[in-house]
């Protein structure tokens, strides 16, 4: 992973969750402060939980984990098991499976797969992004109005996916492993959307994606799914592909699956 942009966690000491925020920020190595910085990224809390902001985006609402944005998740669920994401995992033909998302980001794809009945473990190594996922998870866990699919959302993991997989071989069993590497899109004609641009600044390029793919192919029970830009070169020759206008899913089947 290349160097990432710094983030400050804004903590109001009068907030009921201030102590919890300071504890988690310390665990994740995120510095805290009383007010937003003049430059760069910061994490803030409101009644809906944590969100990510940029000092230059004064009028913006920030970004939240998909779990904290039911309207966004509902739109992504609309395609059901015929959506390109679901088809990449074979959900249009086969029952739900156990999935490891090695690059969770804002957990949009991970939450969508959980809502389709898959047992999903989301791994994210970028501290600020993991903070958003963990906070959204905690809030739903504590809510009496958890969605019906919530039992399929397993505790998220803050780790580098490759080493974590190697350490947990034989202990954590997954039918499928998902990789959505952060790469610069080839021949981009327009500015990337805010979420993509911010995630790229925070996470940097996933220079170890090929290594994670090699580990995942040894560990997945049925398949590995890699999300790519539609014009990107595959990291390795895939067995199958699901193509869209902007993105493509490269599918690597496990021998004998």
């Amino acid at each position: 992973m290349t160097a990432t942009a710094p983030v400050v966690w804004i903590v109001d000491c009068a907030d009921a969750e201030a102590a919890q925020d300071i504890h988690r920020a310390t665990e994740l190595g995120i510095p805290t402060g009383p007010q937003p910085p003049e430059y760069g990224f910061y994490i803030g809390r409101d009644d809906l939980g944590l969100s990510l902001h940029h000092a230059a985006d004064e009028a913006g609402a920030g970004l939240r984990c998909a779990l904290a944005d039911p309207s966004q998740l509902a739109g992504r669920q609309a395609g059901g098991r015929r959506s390109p994401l679901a088809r990449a995992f074979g959900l249009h033909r086969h029952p739900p499976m156990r999935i490891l998302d090695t690059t969770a980001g804002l957990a949009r794809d991970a939450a969508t797969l959980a809502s389709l009945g898959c047992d999903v473990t989301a791994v994210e190594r970028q501290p600020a992004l993991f903070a958003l996922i963990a906070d959204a998870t905690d809030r739903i866990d504590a809510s009496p109005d958890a969605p019906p699919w919530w039992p399929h959302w397993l505790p998220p993991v803050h780790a580098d996916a490759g080493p974590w997989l190697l350490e947990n071989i034989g202990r954590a069993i997954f039918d499928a492993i998902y990789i959505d590497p952060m790469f610069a899109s080839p021949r981009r004609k327009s500015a990337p959307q805010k979420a993509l641009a911010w995630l790229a600044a925070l996470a940097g390029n996933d220079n170890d994606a090929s290594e994670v793919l090699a580990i995942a192919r040894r560990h997945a029970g049925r398949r590995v799914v890699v999300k790519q830009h539609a014009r990107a070169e595959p990291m390795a020759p895939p067995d199958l592909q699901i193509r869209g206008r902007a993105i493509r899913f490269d599918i690597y089947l496990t021998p004998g699956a």
Side-chain angles (χ1 to χ4, degrees):
M1 181 175 67
T2 55
T4 60
V7 182
V8 176
W9 191 320
I10 306 307
V11 177
D12 180 353
C13 291
D15 193 307
E17 297 180 82
Q20 173 187 309
D21 285 351
I22 292 172
H23 177 71
R24 179 163 283 164
T26 301
E27 285 187 329
L28 295 173
I30 303 174
T32 60
Q35 58 188 14
E38 295 184 9
Y39 307 98
F41 291 99
Y42 63 95
I43 295 172
R45 179 178 291 284
D46 58 21
D47 292 341
L48 298 178
L50 295 182
S51 55
L52 178 70
H53 302 263
H54 195 283
D57 187 38
E58 296 181 2
L63 296 177
R64 298 184 189 275
C65 169
L67 299 170
D69 191 346
S71 61
Q72 178 194 111
L73 186 55
R76 295 176 65 82
Q77 292 169 332
R81 296 192 178 189
R82 302 297 305 181
S83 69
L85 176 67
R87 287 168 56 214
F89 286 92
L91 299 181
H92 59 307
R93 294 181 178 177
H94 304 291
M97 57 182 68
R98 295 162 296 182
I99 297 176
L100 176 73
D101 183 348
T102 64
T103 49
L106 293 171
R108 291 174 174 176
D109 288 341
T112 301
L113 291 166
S115 74
L116 295 175
C118 295
D119 291 338
V120 178
T121 300
V123 175
E124 177 52 54
R125 64 182 170 188
Q126 210 291 328
L129 298 178
F130 179 79
L132 299 185
I133 296 171
D135 178 71
T137 298
D138 291 346
R139 292 176 70 84
I140 299 179
D141 275 341
S143 170
D145 299 319
W149 54 265
W150 188 243
H152 297 294
W153 182 260
L154 304 180
V157 176
H158 179 229
D160 276 311
W164 187 86
L165 266 172
L166 291 174
E167 291 171 7
N168 286 277
I169 286 177
R171 290 184 291 173
I173 307 300
F174 301 100
D175 300 307
I177 297 177
Y178 183 48
I179 306 172
D180 180 6
M182 184 62 66
F183 290 133
S185 298
R187 300 191 299 277
R188 180 178 292 278
K189 296 181 180 179
S190 59
Q193 59 173 299
K194 179 168 74 175
L196 185 60
W198 286 17
L199 264 62
L202 282 172
N205 289 338
D206 290 321
N207 297 324
D208 60 346
S210 295
E211 178 183 346
V212 174
L213 173 60
I215 297 171
R217 294 181 73 176
R218 300 196 303 268
H219 191 70
R222 299 183 191 176
R223 64 180 63 196
V224 179
V225 177
V226 180
K227 186 177 183 178
Q228 294 273 43
H229 188 277
R231 295 190 298 272
E233 288 293 324
M235 289 193 289
D239 296 301
L240 300 169
Q241 291 182 321
I242 301 293
R243 292 181 172 271
R245 288 200 320 173
I247 62 170
R248 184 188 75 239
F249 294 98
D250 293 339
I251 302 160
Y252 303 86
L253 299 177
T254 300

